[in-house]
Amino acid sequence: MKNYYFLTVFLISLISFKNSTAQTDVENVLTDILFILDGYNDPAAEASVMQTGAGWFHTAKSLDKFKINVSVGISGLPFPSNKKSFTVQQSDFINLDIREAEQASIPTSLGGQKRVFFDFMIEGESYEFQAFSGLNTDFFAFPYIQGQVGLWKETEVTLRYAPQITIERSSYAVYGVGFKHNLSQYFYKENRSCDLAFYTNYSLTDLNLGYDEPLDLEPQDGGAPLAIIDGSLIDFHSINAGLVASKDVNKWTFSTAVNYNTSWVDYSLTGEDGIFFNLFNNVLTTLSETKHSFKVDAGVAYQIAPKWNLNTQLSVGQFANLNISGVYNIN
């Protein structure tokens, strides 16, 4: 369970509870629920890395100095069924009990809603909460617009913006900046048979999840709840870096790339303030674990007019993503 236990102990030690038994119970409950939150958020983070890392280029060539193009695209990613839920065992938990079972399949942030309940005890009093719900969709696509500007030394900069997309009670937006630098210039001054470039980009994915039903951590006798949680605010950060190679054949451009990705997540819960609720968010701020992954891209572009290119790109890693865009050369 990573460092959840030590983090919760550290934070809760700053707060006075009525006795050591209550403090230990709360520490254990926080540790258990944070274990669930980690499995809940992981697939969405992986999917975000795939989508935001796609469509940044269709060629290793860089624009000429101060040349500008604008592209409009759409990035689509199916959610595999094995990424929409994850299984927990009773042995995974310290305080939580899976109701009437030794294991349970619960939704990730990409899944839907399941009637899975957990019971726990604090100072001899029984509480319950229901598994978190997710986006409840099998496929996600977002449109975006990006602009590229050529700079000195066969370098170009790219800015990307994906307007907010709303799915029921949830919303999703993407912002990014990227750079590409042609490497072939150091080996071939002219008559290049193909091009090679280094590129890197940073993306921020802003995902706001609203739960269909608020999650009440309430005593089973109907007393005041410890916390009421109605959603999650999740920021996915990713940095891609890699090499892209391309070759022009008449009006066609064929490209391939290998990418290394570093990503991390900042997230918090929304709901009604209270000691237990605030403890959750205090601990969550410390759990921005950095992850690493690889993906490969394969793309084909076609020049449909002197100033227009139509591009397609398939990216494969932890997910598969298809990107389609149209690029207009302004000058």
Side-chain angles (χ1 to χ4, degrees), residues 219-230:
Q220 294 182 357
D221 62 7
L226 291 174
I228 297 177
I229 302 169
D230 59 20

Side-chain angles (χ1 to χ4, degrees), residues 125-128 218-225:
E125 190 163 15
S126 297
Y127 292 82
E128 68 174 13
E218 59 184 5
Q220 294 182 357
D221 62 7

Side-chain angles (χ1 to χ4, degrees), residues 264-322:
W264 65 98
V265 182
D266 296 324
Y267 52 92
S268 61
L269 302 173
T270 61
E272 296 186 13
D273 286 342
I275 291 179
F276 203 88
F277 178 82
N278 292 334
L279 279 173
F280 266 122
N281 282 331
N282 286 337
V283 175
L284 286 173
T285 61
T286 69
L287 295 181
S288 185
E289 181 187 12
T290 300
K291 297 189 176 182
H292 309 276
S293 61
F294 289 91
K295 71 179 181 72
V296 293
D297 302 315
V300 178
Y302 181 72
Q303 186 180 22
I304 57 178
K307 287 183 173 291
W308 280 98
N309 284 291
L310 179 64
N311 310 319
T312 61
Q313 186 181 81
L314 177 65
S315 301
V316 178
Q318 294 162 314
F319 289 80
N321 185 84
L322 179 63

Side-chain angles (χ1 to χ4, degrees), residues 10 54 61 75 79 95 133 137 142 155 213 232 236 245 247 255 286 324:
F10 172 75
K61 291 181 177 180
S75 190
F79 296 150
N95 192 319
S133 59
T137 184
F142 72 87
T155 301
E213 297 178 5
S232 303
F236 300 110
K247 183 176 180 61
S255 64
T286 69
I324 301 174

Side-chain angles (χ1 to χ4, degrees), residues 159-283:
L159 297 177
R160 171 181 286 189
Y161 170 64
Q164 182 171 292
I165 303 297
T166 300
I167 303 175
E168 296 182 351
R169 292 171 50 84
S170 302
S171 62
Y172 185 97
V174 178
Y175 314 89
V177 59
F179 297 89
K180 185 175 69 179
H181 181 70
N182 188 280
L183 301 176
S184 298
Q185 62 183 304
Y186 302 111
F187 308 103
Y188 307 100
K189 295 301 181 182
E190 49 187 47
N191 299 323
R192 301 173 188 172
S193 59
C194 62
D195 280 274
L196 180 70
F198 168 80
Y199 75 93
T200 185
N201 55 68
Y202 163 79
S203 294
L204 167 63
T205 302
D206 181 13
L207 174 61
N208 298 333
L209 280 175
Y211 302 153
D212 292 334
E213 297 178 5
L215 304 178
D216 300 338
L217 303 183
E218 59 184 5
Q220 294 182 357
D221 62 7
L226 291 174
I228 297 177
I229 302 169
D230 59 20
S232 303
L233 303 178
I234 309 173
D235 288 335
F236 300 110
H237 307 266
S238 64
I239 298 175
N240 273 292
L243 295 173
V244 54
S246 68
K247 183 176 180 61
D248 295 334
V249 180
N250 297 322
K251 292 186 176 183
W252 296 89
T253 299
F254 300 90
S255 64
T256 186
V258 60
N259 309 256
Y260 174 75
N261 178 269
T262 300
S263 61
W264 65 98
V265 182
D266 296 324
Y267 52 92
S268 61
L269 302 173
T270 61
E272 296 186 13
D273 286 342
I275 291 179
F276 203 88
F277 178 82
N278 292 334
L279 279 173
F280 266 122
N281 282 331
N282 286 337
V283 175

Side-chain angles (χ1 to χ4, degrees), residues 94-167:
I94 304 170
N95 192 319
L96 294 189
D97 290 315
I98 305 170
R99 184 173 294 177
E100 299 177 353
E102 287 300 312
Q103 69 175 31
S105 176
I106 59 179
T108 69
S109 48
L110 305 182
Q113 184 179 39
K114 292 186 178 180
R115 303 287 290 181
V116 178
F117 286 87
F118 298 85
D119 300 308
F120 59 94
M121 303 283 292
I122 293 181
E123 205 179 15
E125 190 163 15
S126 297
Y127 292 82
E128 68 174 13
F129 86 95
Q130 185 180 347
F132 300 99
S133 59
L135 287 172
N136 193 27
T137 184
D138 295 320
F139 179 84
F140 186 76
F142 72 87
Y144 64 87
I145 182 170
Q146 67 184 31
Q148 294 168 310
V149 180
L151 302 177
W152 298 267
K153 301 295 184 181
E154 296 192 46
T155 301
E156 66 183 33
V157 62
T158 302
L159 297 177
R160 171 181 286 189
Y161 170 64
Q164 182 171 292
I165 303 297
T166 300
I167 303 175

